[in-house]
Amino acid sequence: MRLTSKVLLVLTVAACAPMVEAPPMPVTLPPEPRPEQPVRPTPQPEPQRPAEATVDQAGFDGWKEGFLNRHGGARRAEYARELEGLTPDPSVLRLDRNQPEFSRPAGAYVQNAVTPARIAQAKQRADRVPWEVVQRFGVPTEILLAIWAQESAFGAVQGDMDVIRSLATLAHDGRRRDWAEAQLKNALDIVVDGRRSRTGLKGSWAGAMGQTQFMPDNYLRLGVDQTGDGLVDIWGSDADALASAANLLAQAGWKRGQSWGYEVILPPGFDYALAEGDARPWSFWAARGVRLAQGGVPTDAEAAEAATILLPQGARGPVFLALPNHYVIRRYNNSVSYALAIGLTADGVAGKPGLVTPWPEEAPISRDQRIGAQRALTALGFDTQGIDGVVGANTRAALRRWQTANGRLPDGHLTAALADELIALAQGR
């Protein structure tokens, strides 16, 4: 489906972001450095697009020649043909540097995604998920509906940007060059092999495509021709798109008959240093006073699994027991907020009650604050293992160590106020 420019502008306000670090879990696929996908808002009137910045065409042309030398091989002529006359897209770089998922608190992201309207829309489309897909791959209908809703508003907002141009722009930029060049090569192969026309190879600014927003490598490896027409049409075929998503989750280790996780209540005096640490069976957590927020206990199969305690918005927000399927969802898009949005939407579709603990309201954290906090923690002796503006597991672990050393509750949650405090402390040393 080709979208109008109005829908495109809506899509670009919240697009893909780099992966967030995840605790290791035993899944079958290698890590996919796929940018994070946004909550797709309801289309609004088109805003005025900012003027594009001047581009370095000479440098871009030099990068293209290097790309062809590195990856062209026997297909150099075909690749060169598709790249001929290509220019970098400044809007891609602008969006890559201004991603809301890492500035917005988890609760704001999840609440924007998990709404009664979206859940009702998903329920209305339950019969469009082929039952044979659910039986074959073992992924529940409600999970596939949640992904479909989150990734493209049920196919309505797929992105209308030239995937090859977007990936070439990201590769030339160099921040994620190896990843972007590999994805670009796969996108070129899709066109050269005749799987999709160049004009039809449309997607988000980060190269995610179709109703379930597959990156080119996943399209080639995991795309499913559910309709049997000889094409994997994740753009126009609901069945192909949903079967492909189910295949990705199944190959990543989806456990049939198990939930993604549960909201839990922690007891007074809980050792927050255990959060995001080693995964443990339910018996370990129950012995420390953890209980399911809605009562009851996990199933026997779930209780035997290793699970992790997650505090996506610190000790003041909802707390979750993340089972292996939570991490499988994060193989689709490696973000805690994204996986929670999928899981909670699916729970709503299945008729489960909402959260017991409300999300606290917090100010967004700017990129400068995130980078400043990482630099400050490292300077104060609590190494974040990199300064990139992504508050992932390493940064949260460093923050927990600082909190413990300074008599704070070690929940590893960085707020805007705490970031400013850390920056001031480091500057005053």
Side-chain angles (χ1 to χ4, degrees):
M1 177 185 296
R2 183 175 178 86
L3 302 179
T4 66
S5 60
K6 291 186 179 182
V7 176
L8 168 59
L9 265 293
V10 170
L11 179 63
T12 60
V13 300
C16 305
M19 290 174 63
V20 182
E21 303 163 66
M25 293 296 290
V27 292
T28 59
L29 295 179
E32 296 289 347
R34 176 184 171 230
E36 178 177 335
Q37 288 298 309
V39 177
R40 300 301 200 274
T42 302
Q44 301 292 329
E46 179 178 357
Q48 197 68 30
R49 182 186 287 273
E52 294 188 352
T54 303
V55 299
D56 176 15
Q57 188 62 44
F60 185 75
D61 289 341
W63 164 81
K64 282 198 294 186
E65 187 66 23
F67 171 82
L68 292 171
N69 290 338
R70 288 186 294 275
H71 301 286
R75 291 191 159 185
R76 181 186 175 95
E78 288 92 340
Y79 290 178
R81 180 190 68 220
E82 299 302 331
L83 295 174
E84 185 177 359
L86 201 67
T87 60
D89 186 343
S91 69
V92 168
L93 299 183
R94 172 171 49 82
L95 291 163
D96 188 41
R97 284 158 173 71
N98 295 279
Q99 301 166 60
E101 289 81 6
F102 290 101
S103 62
R104 297 166 63 196
Y109 182 97
V110 171
Q111 289 179 98
N112 192 38
V114 186
T115 65
R118 174 164 284 183
I119 289 169
Q121 290 167 352
K123 288 180 177 179
Q124 291 169 0
R125 291 164 173 80
D127 61 353
R128 291 166 66 178
V129 180
W131 179 239
E132 57 269 26
V133 168
V134 175
Q135 290 181 309
R136 175 182 174 187
F137 297 108
V139 180
T141 295
E142 55 266 25
I143 289 289
L144 296 175
L145 288 168
I147 288 174
W148 195 16
Q150 181 80 352
E151 294 292 351
S152 69
F154 308 104
V157 186
Q158 298 184 32
D160 198 26
M161 299 182 80
D162 179 351
V163 167
I164 287 175
R165 187 186 185 202
S166 295
L167 291 171
T169 301
L170 292 171
H172 170 240
D173 179 54
R175 188 170 70 86
R176 292 176 283 158
R177 175 162 292 173
D178 290 346
W179 168 81
E181 287 195 351
Q183 293 292 348
L184 175 59
K185 183 181 187 304
N186 286 319
L188 290 165
D189 284 339
I190 291 170
V191 173
V192 172
D193 290 340
R195 297 170 185 263
R196 184 77 173 175
S197 71
R198 173 64 184 279
T199 57
L201 200 68
K202 302 296 184 181
S204 76
W205 63 264
M209 311 179 302
Q211 298 191 49
T212 45
Q213 293 289 280
F214 263 37
M215 293 305 293
D217 64 331
N218 281 337
Y219 175 85
L220 291 173
R221 294 188 300 114
L222 301 169
V224 176
D225 174 20
Q226 181 65 25
T227 61
D229 63 358
L231 295 173
V232 177
D233 182 10
I234 60 174
W235 296 266
S237 168
D238 299 351
D240 285 7
L242 294 167
S244 298
N247 188 32
L248 188 156
L249 295 174
Q251 293 299 317
W254 185 269
K255 293 183 177 289
R256 291 173 181 257
Q258 294 188 22
S259 175
W260 62 272
Y262 295 92
E263 183 189 4
V264 295
I265 303 297
L266 302 180
F270 180 79
D271 182 3
Y272 284 88
L274 294 172
E276 289 195 7
D278 293 338
R280 312 277 191 168
W282 172 244
S283 59
F284 176 90
W285 300 115
R288 281 153 183 79
V290 178
R291 58 186 177 85
L292 301 191
Q294 299 291 348
V297 295
T299 67
D300 290 345
E302 293 166 347
E305 299 285 358
T308 306
I309 296 293
L310 298 181
L311 297 91
Q313 211 164 329
R316 295 175 54 239
V319 182
F320 299 93
L321 181 77
L323 291 162
N325 282 341
H326 167 87
Y327 294 93
V328 173
I329 296 171
R330 283 166 66 170
R331 301 306 296 275
Y332 201 105
N333 184 327
N334 194 15
S335 156
V336 175
S337 296
Y338 176 89
L340 289 175
I342 297 303
L344 292 170
T345 299
D347 284 355
V349 174
K352 296 181 181 179
L355 297 178
V356 170
T357 301
W359 293 100
E361 292 187 8
E362 292 180 358
I365 309 178
S366 71
R367 178 175 173 80
D368 286 345
Q369 286 174 311
R370 297 193 304 272
I371 289 176
Q374 289 176 322
R375 285 178 176 156
L377 283 168
T378 300
L380 293 168
F382 304 90
D383 191 359
T384 60
Q385 306 295 314
I387 297 171
D388 57 5
V390 177
V391 182
N394 289 333
T395 299
R396 291 191 294 272
L399 179 56
R400 281 194 184 89
R401 295 194 298 272
W402 178 86
Q403 289 170 322
T404 300
N406 288 273
R408 310 286 182 91
L409 190 147
D411 63 358
H413 181 53
L414 183 68
T415 63
L418 183 53
D420 290 341
E421 179 184 350
L422 289 166
I423 293 167
L425 282 172
Q427 290 173 344
R429 292 178 71 242

